Amino acid sequence: MTLRTINLTRPITTESPAGSLFPWEAPYRTEEIATLTYNGANLFHITMGSGSATRLLGPALGSPTGATTDQFPPERLVNRAAVVVDCPAGPGGEISADQVTAALAGADLRTGDAVVLVTGWGDDPARFTTEEFYLDSPYLSVEAARALAEALDRNSSDLLLTDCVYLDRPGGEHARTEWTELRPWLRPAFPSDAAKTYIAHYRPEKVRQDWAATLALTASTWTVAGLVGCGALTGRRVRLTLAPLPVQGVGEVPCTVVAQVSADAGAPAEPVFSSGDQT
């Protein structure tokens, strides 16, 4: 059997508005430390928020006693058996518990599988540099998140991946209206004083509403959000390898995800989209 390797990771680029839309985010930025012309080497100072691209979220995101991303067992990061679950959703679409249940029922789900929930949102790279790609992403209702967590637990599955940019409605009800809908010059990105002041008033009662699906799912399930190019996963069974940034003591880190799929059984010669080279 011939295999193709597909990168499902959204590129990190300064052209992307990712990291500049919500007060808890920080955009990807680079600053030259040394240059090839002047110093003989290109070195950069890099800053970005943990949610700037495709990322792994763990239980520590919402629990002081939850596992941090560096505690995800390394043997469960490599060559994971996974099932692709189609759950189409358009701009701003809320995915319901009924949709999730029906999608799982129609999938070839096997005990211990990782689950790749595919809406189709991440298949057009031309949109990755637009604000609409991030603000209009489909998302899970809190009931759908709970249904997913319960179904994965029953199946002894500890890993969900999705091409939803965010698990909840981007920004929720509070941050979206109180921050993101302001004029851009009134909401400078973290670590601005304005962003820090907003976060100082963004208390748990608001977080529990804006992040309800995220907190419900990540309490028990390792989750990767922001996949791209899932349209290239022509088969329903794939093998996944994850490479989260090895940062200690946090609940969210950027994460590279690659899939191996069969090039046989009618798979196209070229993927619908791949953010990396094929092998």
Side-chain angles (χ1 to χ4, degrees):
M1 180 175 66
T2 304
L3 295 176
R4 293 164 54 244
T5 302
I6 302 169
N7 191 348
L8 302 177
T9 314
R10 193 172 77 240
I12 299 174
T13 169
T14 55
E15 283 74 44
S16 170
S20 63
L21 299 173
F22 303 111
W24 52 79
E25 297 182 329
Y28 169 71
R29 296 287 182 263
T30 63
E31 181 180 354
E32 290 179 343
I33 295 174
T35 67
L36 191 61
T37 302
Y38 188 82
N39 306 97
N42 280 324
L43 300 174
F44 297 90
H45 175 71
I46 295 174
T47 60
M48 64 186 219
S50 59
S52 294
T54 306
R55 59 209 181 276
L56 172 68
L57 302 93
L61 187 71
S63 170
T65 60
T68 54
T69 54
D70 60 300
Q71 294 173 322
F72 198 136
E75 66 272 15
R76 303 215 306 258
L77 294 171
V78 180
N79 200 30
R80 289 290 302 264
V83 61
V84 178
V85 177
D86 289 318
C87 193
E94 181 182 74
I95 300 169
S96 70
D98 287 345
Q99 287 175 285
V100 163
T101 301
L104 288 172
D108 183 15
L109 181 62
R110 304 176 190 176
T111 301
D113 273 348
V115 172
V116 185
L117 188 73
V118 177
T119 68
W121 187 250
D123 286 341
D124 182 2
R127 297 190 300 180
F128 296 172
T129 56
T130 68
E131 288 194 357
E132 289 75 19
F133 178 74
Y134 303 90
L135 294 176
D136 294 342
S137 170
Y139 61 94
L140 299 169
S141 69
V142 64
E143 294 81 12
R146 289 171 180 155
L148 269 172
E150 292 168 3
L152 268 63
D153 181 64
R154 289 193 301 269
N155 196 60
S156 300
S157 300
D158 66 344
L159 178 62
L160 172 77
L161 306 93
T162 181
D163 57 358
C164 294
V165 180
Y166 302 95
L167 300 178
D168 288 274
R169 182 186 184 222
E173 296 302 321
H174 298 287
R176 190 178 181 101
T177 56
E178 297 169 354
W179 179 266
T180 308
E181 292 182 0
L182 297 175
R183 298 292 187 182
W185 55 87
L186 296 176
R187 50 173 175 85
F190 190 89
S192 70
D193 289 342
K196 290 180 179 179
T197 298
Y198 181 87
I199 291 171
H201 293 83
Y202 191 60
R203 303 296 293 164
E205 59 273 14
K206 291 185 176 181
V207 174
R208 283 192 291 268
Q209 294 178 49
D210 287 355
W211 294 60
T214 300
L215 296 175
L217 192 55
T218 59
S220 59
T221 306
W222 295 95
T223 306
V224 174
L227 296 181
V228 297
C230 292
L233 304 178
T234 51
R236 301 298 86 186
R237 303 288 308 172
V238 299
R239 288 277 174 175
L240 299 176
T241 293
L242 285 65
L245 200 64
V247 179
Q248 294 185 341
V250 298
E252 176 188 62
V253 289
C255 182
T256 296
V257 180
V258 294
Q260 284 194 309
V261 300
S262 172
D264 306 323
E270 298 292 335
V272 177
F273 168 73
S274 174
S275 60
D277 294 332
Q278 299 177 69
T279 59

